[in-house]
Amino acid sequence: MVRLLALVSWMATAAPQLPGQQTSGLATRLDQATYAALRPILEAAGRDSIPLRPLEAKALEGTAKRRPAAQIVAAVQRLAQELQQARLLLRQAAPTAPDAEGDIVAAAEAMRRGVPAEEVAALRRRVPPATSLEIPLAVLGELVQRGVPAAEARAVIEHMVNSGVPQARMVEIPSHVDVALRVGAPPITALGSALQSLGIPVPPPGPGGLGPRRPPGDRG
Amino acid sequence: MNQEHPLVRDYLDGELAYDALPEEHRPEADQFRRIADAMASDRVALPPGVRAAIMRRVRAAPEPAARRVWSWVMTPREIRVSPAMGVLALAAAVGALLLTRPRAGTVPDAGPSHAALTATNTRFVFLAPTASSVAVTGDFASWDPKGIPLRDATGTGVWVVELTLPAGLHHYVFVVDGHQWLPDPNASQVDDGFGQKNSVLMVPARVES
């Protein structure tokens, strides 16, 4: 009985699992050399509270795709740096917002797809801190990748988040933009058309809006 | 339901005499009149003892299983458990709590401030008329190289599977014939960091208030 109670007590105070020894079975799916090379990266990420799940996923992806160990390690290292930069950017933009793994991953991917860091930061600053940005940032990345100017795309996303547009509607925008692009519409016009076809209110024209920008000093 | 002819209705309402009814409508009128007369007749008197016999049958009918289970569950009864079983149950509960606690180095998602994120059914469709097998793999499948198989139910080369995925951003590819890794031609693509492309799937959060 005493031994059983001791076992229970030990379980309650057991040290946290080391990075890599997760239920995802990283150690079992990677060869020893690759796992050994990745372990310092994962441990460092763990110490810095960088999300580990996407790093492990990238390692598993590389193994599944039979990439060389060096390529897997490089990809995971690069992703760790991107996640660190994304987290720093989001924290600086909204210090009171929680560090959400989804937001950090989406911010890193948005920047990888061409969204300038200042637009990611602007979006974080201008929506309530507790709002999840994972889907809004993903949609922003989709729009910028399709050629929509980043500032306009960000303004639209920001408007939708603050207006309470459901994410289920937001994720439909890129495919509607594609329809307009296929018939030759410029990206910004395609975005406006997509919003109208989805019944999403278009932000008012002006700086950051969808309308034409007036040059500085133009009062006409 | 067939409606009676307006003239027949007038007859039944007493607004038109039977003799004034055209001959072709009289059979219909007769039929409705018979029905109306039957409904207006006096109630049938039951022989003595029939009502009592019916109630005896109802009371003897077996209680529905659900009601029996509910009665058993709600009836207080004495349960005896040895201390060892109690400790084992406690250990199991502690073990379950430890397995579900956040790992070091990860942070929980904040999520929309007012919503419960729910999983969503997502349908994957891939056109491969000459393939013998198609699977989908990605972060939601831990990048298992075997993937989750799609089915070509109609034999037309349209491979389909429907999965329940958590809300958020996902990367995936299709695996054709076990060795060909292809992004989804109908989805956005991003560099995978290995010189190839992944497809992007955005699963929206559904607000449950």
Side-chain angles (χ1 to χ4, degrees), chain A residues 68-135:
Chain A
Q71 214 176 55
I72 296 174
V73 172
V76 172
Q77 179 73 67
R78 195 164 47 241
L79 180 58
Q81 288 166 352
E82 290 174 356
L83 293 176
Q84 191 169 42
Q85 287 163 5
R87 191 190 60 177
L88 181 62
L89 183 75
L90 293 174
R91 273 185 181 173
Q92 287 175 339
T96 61
D99 281 346
E101 177 182 311
D103 290 4
I104 295 170
V105 171
E109 178 152 313
M111 288 189 283
R112 208 180 306 130
R113 295 173 88 171
V115 179
E118 57 265 25
E119 297 301 339
V120 173
L123 183 60
R124 177 72 275 175
R125 261 198 310 273
R126 296 178 189 188
V127 300
T131 306
S132 167
L133 284 185
E134 185 172 4
I135 294 297

Side-chain angles (χ1 to χ4, degrees), chain B residues 137-208:
Chain B
T137 191
D139 49 51
F140 47 80
S142 298
W143 289 102
D144 183 350
K146 292 196 185 96
I148 300 165
L150 281 68
R151 284 188 62 228
D152 178 9
T154 58
T156 55
V158 179
W159 299 79
V160 180
V161 72
E162 196 163 297
L163 302 176
T164 303
L165 298 179
L169 189 59
H170 300 279
H171 287 181
Y172 68 98
V173 292
F174 292 106
V175 185
V176 179
D177 291 335
H179 64 273
Q180 214 179 354
W181 289 56
L182 299 172
D184 187 343
N186 296 315
S188 295
Q189 295 172 16
V190 292
D191 286 327
D192 65 352
F194 302 112
Q196 295 170 336
K197 298 285 188 189
N198 285 339
S199 299
V200 177
L201 173 66
M202 298 180 288
V203 178
R206 289 191 318 186
V207 175
E208 287 187 355

Side-chain angles (χ1 to χ4, degrees), chain B residues 30-111:
Chain B
D30 293 340
Q31 186 180 21
F32 276 105
R33 175 57 66 194
R34 281 196 293 277
I35 294 170
D37 289 346
M39 288 171 67
S41 62
D42 291 339
R43 291 172 64 186
V44 175
L46 291 174
V50 169
R51 188 182 298 277
I54 291 171
M55 290 313 297
R56 274 198 300 275
R57 286 272 182 98
V58 168
R59 289 188 194 108
E63 195 178 17
R67 188 173 294 183
R68 288 201 303 274
V69 169
W70 179 253
S71 300
W72 185 88
V73 167
M74 295 306 290
T75 301
R77 56 190 80 240
E78 187 179 310
I79 298 175
R80 291 181 169 188
V81 178
S82 69
M85 291 300 294
V87 172
L88 279 174
L90 175 64
V94 169
L97 276 173
L98 290 172
L99 286 172
T100 56
R101 70 178 180 181
R103 298 171 303 179
T106 64
V107 292
D109 274 323

Side-chain angles (χ1 to χ4, degrees), chain B residues 124-141:
Chain B
F124 292 89
V125 181
F126 191 78
L127 183 63
T130 60
S132 56
S133 72
V134 177
V136 63
T137 191
D139 49 51
F140 47 80

